[in-house]
Amino acid sequence: MNIDTKALAEKYGTPLYIYDFDYIENRYNTLKEAFAGKKSMINYAVKANSNLSVIAHLAKLGAGADCVSIGEVKRALDAGVDRYKIIFSGVGKRDDEIREALEKDILLLNLESEAEMKRVEMVAKELGKEARISIRVNPNIDPQTHPYISTGLHENKFGVEIDMAKRMYIYANRSEFLNPVGIHFHIGSQLTKLDPIREACQIVGDLVRSLRAIKIDIKFFDVGGGLGVVYDDEITISEKAYTQAIFEATKGLDLTLLCEPGRYMVANAGAFFTKVLYEKVNDGKRFVIVDGAMNDLLRPSLYDAYHKIEAVMVDGNVERTPADVVGPVCESGDFFGKNVPLPPLSHNDLLVVHSAGAYGFTMASNYNTRAKPAEVALQGGVDRLIRKRESYEDQVRLEREYL
Ligand code: LLP
């Protein structure tokens, strides 16, 4: 970001998330262009960054939404996403969530088990509606990513096997209250290899062909999300190669192609800013203690994820020595980076933790009664607040009346 982040950190305080909306727009347009010539829809995975202004920004560009709870569905609707562009996925939907989704008449409910299909059928019957559904197929493919974010193997809890999917489609096709119009898979997140995606597309493409042969007319082919991004020095999948693999697997089929990118859209649009509180050395080991913590940005603690960390506006020639960047939360796992090369720092110096736009704020918590940080958008060189910093009162609001 080519802006005076120090001034923004002064203006809005720290810890702080800043998102570059122009970058998001560019990402959306690049991916959309790679689908040129085909019917397609980009359903932004709201879980990556569910700030209403972020969703609204993408909605204005034409994006739909992939949601994993009725809360996310409501966010998408609130932010102006067209209801016919909203998909509701997830392994465990409650009856009330199913009901509300059907009442709101969104595009699709993605089903992940036979038992869930029966619940959806029952709720649709109660409402006298026909539920548009898709089935999440688990193609049993190793996505070659971190095991915590790998979802396309039979050992993972997601989706159903091909044979089960077929049986479910046949059942749904006969049901008065179910309309099986889509097929879905999502093999994992932060994917940097195309082959597993290509293979999954082919397996699921063949399944569509066999369903068509028995007159089950699938209209939406949803390849999930997962496109990886650069955190460090990863080589990622090009948009064109990605769509080409999808086109090849669906050759000859009249389908609307859907994808659900989250991280791809927002990870590198965002950065997390935190101020140095203190430095200390324990037995020769250098620690930089900052005002942000694992409750604000959990990825390093939870996945040992790498996020590049730099001191803002420090002369490039200053000597850097390794330091662990840690927060004030009372957990040894509360760190943003280990052995990060950093210049000598003093109280109130600003650090930036890069690539924090996805799964940053959305995974934040109030652990240690810490307030969630503020969020700021940058668009056309103009900054604006898109979420106020939480106050202590915000945190105790639901408890106070019981005191
Ligand atoms: N669609 C489905 C069905 C998903 O489960 C996910 C992510 C996405 C789309 C979006 O995936 P993306 O394009 O962002 O890779 N908290 C973890 C990531 C968890 C991803 C869960 N599912 C992290 O911080 O790395």
Side-chain angles (χ1 to χ4, degrees):
M1 284 180 216
N2 194 15
I3 38 138
D4 185 352
T5 46
K6 219 165 187 166
L8 292 182
E10 284 312 317
K11 179 170 170 187
Y12 297 103
T14 55
L16 178 71
Y17 278 100
I18 302 182
Y19 310 122
D20 181 347
F21 274 29
D22 298 328
Y23 177 94
I24 296 174
E25 181 166 348
N26 195 279
R27 291 296 260 191
Y28 177 82
N29 289 336
T30 306
L31 189 56
K32 190 68 189 167
E33 269 162 39
F35 277 102
K38 304 275 175 186
K39 283 181 285 180
S40 71
M41 193 191 301
I42 296 179
N43 298 82
Y44 167 61
V46 168
K47 61 173 82 73
N49 187 323
S50 52
N51 184 290
L52 289 175
S53 300
V54 171
I55 307 172
H57 180 49
L58 279 157
K60 277 187 210 123
L61 297 170
D66 166 54
C67 303
V68 76
S69 67
I70 199 69
E72 285 192 353
V73 170
K74 286 179 181 167
R75 275 184 183 268
L77 288 166
D78 260 358
V81 179
D82 186 307
R83 68 196 157 98
Y84 289 126
K85 291 184 179 174
I86 298 178
I87 302 171
F88 185 9
S89 314
V91 285
K93 302 179 197 73
R94 294 188 313 261
D95 283 5
D96 60 291
E97 292 185 294
I98 296 169
R99 186 168 301 113
E100 212 171 329
L102 292 178
E103 280 166 356
K104 294 196 183 317
D105 203 23
I106 60 171
L107 178 65
L108 281 173
L109 267 80
N110 252 330
L111 307 185
E112 300 219 16
S113 64
E114 193 180 19
E116 185 190 18
M117 178 176 71
K118 301 276 173 72
R119 293 306 296 178
V120 170
E121 184 185 36
M122 202 191 74
V123 176
K125 188 174 176 184
E126 275 167 25
L127 295 174
K129 283 198 163 211
E130 191 184 60
R132 282 181 299 276
I133 59 151
S134 63
I135 293 172
R136 178 164 176 179
V137 178
N138 183 327
N140 197 26
I141 281 167
D142 181 359
Q144 299 165 35
T145 184
H146 192 295
Y148 282 14
I149 49 177
S150 136
T151 47
L153 280 168
H154 284 169
E155 67 192 59
N156 302 122
K157 68 176 174 179
F158 299 97
V160 296
E161 291 169 46
I162 301 270
D163 284 350
M164 171 56 86
K166 263 193 200 162
R167 285 203 294 279
M168 285 169 67
Y169 276 112
I170 291 166
Y171 179 94
N173 201 41
R174 288 193 189 130
S175 166
E176 219 184 305
F177 303 101
L178 299 170
N179 185 7
V181 289
I183 197 156
H184 175 235
F185 63 91
H186 170 84
I187 58 172
S189 198
Q190 183 54 13
L191 307 176
T192 52
K193 303 252 176 358
L194 186 57
D195 279 346
I197 302 178
R198 179 181 291 122
E199 225 181 302
C201 282
Q202 273 158 1
I203 292 172
V204 179
D206 287 346
L207 177 56
V208 171
R209 287 186 184 88
S210 69
L211 291 172
R212 290 229 166 146
I214 53 169
K215 303 267 179 297
I216 297 177
D217 187 21
I218 302 297
K219 296 186 175 67
F220 299 100
F221 188 85
D222 180 353
V223 301
L227 274 177
V229 303
V230 177
Y231 285 99
D232 187 6
D233 55 5
E234 297 88 343
I235 296 170
T236 54
I237 300 165
S238 86
E239 292 83 354
K240 286 255 161 68
Y242 176 65
T243 53
Q244 216 46 51
I246 302 169
F247 297 166
E248 273 161 33
T250 53
K251 222 185 208 142
L253 295 168
D254 179 23
L255 290 162
T256 299
L257 305 172
L258 269 51
C259 65
E260 307 166 348
R263 193 187 314 265
Y264 168 90
M265 288 293 171
V266 290
N268 280 314
F272 177 71
F273 291 84
T274 181
K275 268 188 180 164
V276 173
L277 297 175
Y278 314 105
E279 275 224 37
K280 74 174 179 185
V281 176
N282 269 355
D283 201 12
K285 190 170 175 61
R286 179 181 174 209
F287 290 94
V288 172
I289 301 157
V290 296
D291 66 355
M294 65 188 286
N295 73 293
D296 304 310
L297 174 62
L298 186 61
R299 302 192 73 256
S301 308
L302 189 60
Y303 312 117
D304 213 7
Y306 172 81
H307 284 260
K308 185 175 177 190
I309 302 174
E310 287 177 312
V312 176
M313 303 228 276
V314 172
D315 180 355
N317 296 321
V318 179
E319 199 199 337
R320 283 154 169 76
T321 58
D324 284 9
V325 179
V326 303
V329 162
C330 53
E331 301 266 353
S332 302
D334 179 23
F335 66 91
F336 290 132
K338 299 225 161 133
N339 294 315
V340 183
L342 286 171
L345 294 163
S346 22
H347 192 73
N348 279 343
D349 277 349
L350 188 63
L351 297 186
V352 53
V353 184
H354 290 279
S355 316
Y359 307 108
F361 188 92
T362 48
M363 291 172 75
S365 77
N366 289 119
Y367 189 38
N368 284 199
T369 306
R370 290 173 50 86
K372 287 189 192 164
E375 297 180 287
V376 165
L378 278 178
Q379 196 171 4
V382 179
D383 55 279
R384 68 173 199 273
L385 190 65
I386 56 171
R387 194 185 206 266
K388 242 190 245 174
R389 183 174 305 284
E390 243 177 16
S391 67
Y392 167 72
E393 278 309 318
D394 291 331
Q395 288 192 63
V396 295
R397 196 168 50 86
L398 301 175
E399 300 161 34
R400 200 176 274 298
E401 63 180 294
Y402 304 107
L403 193 65

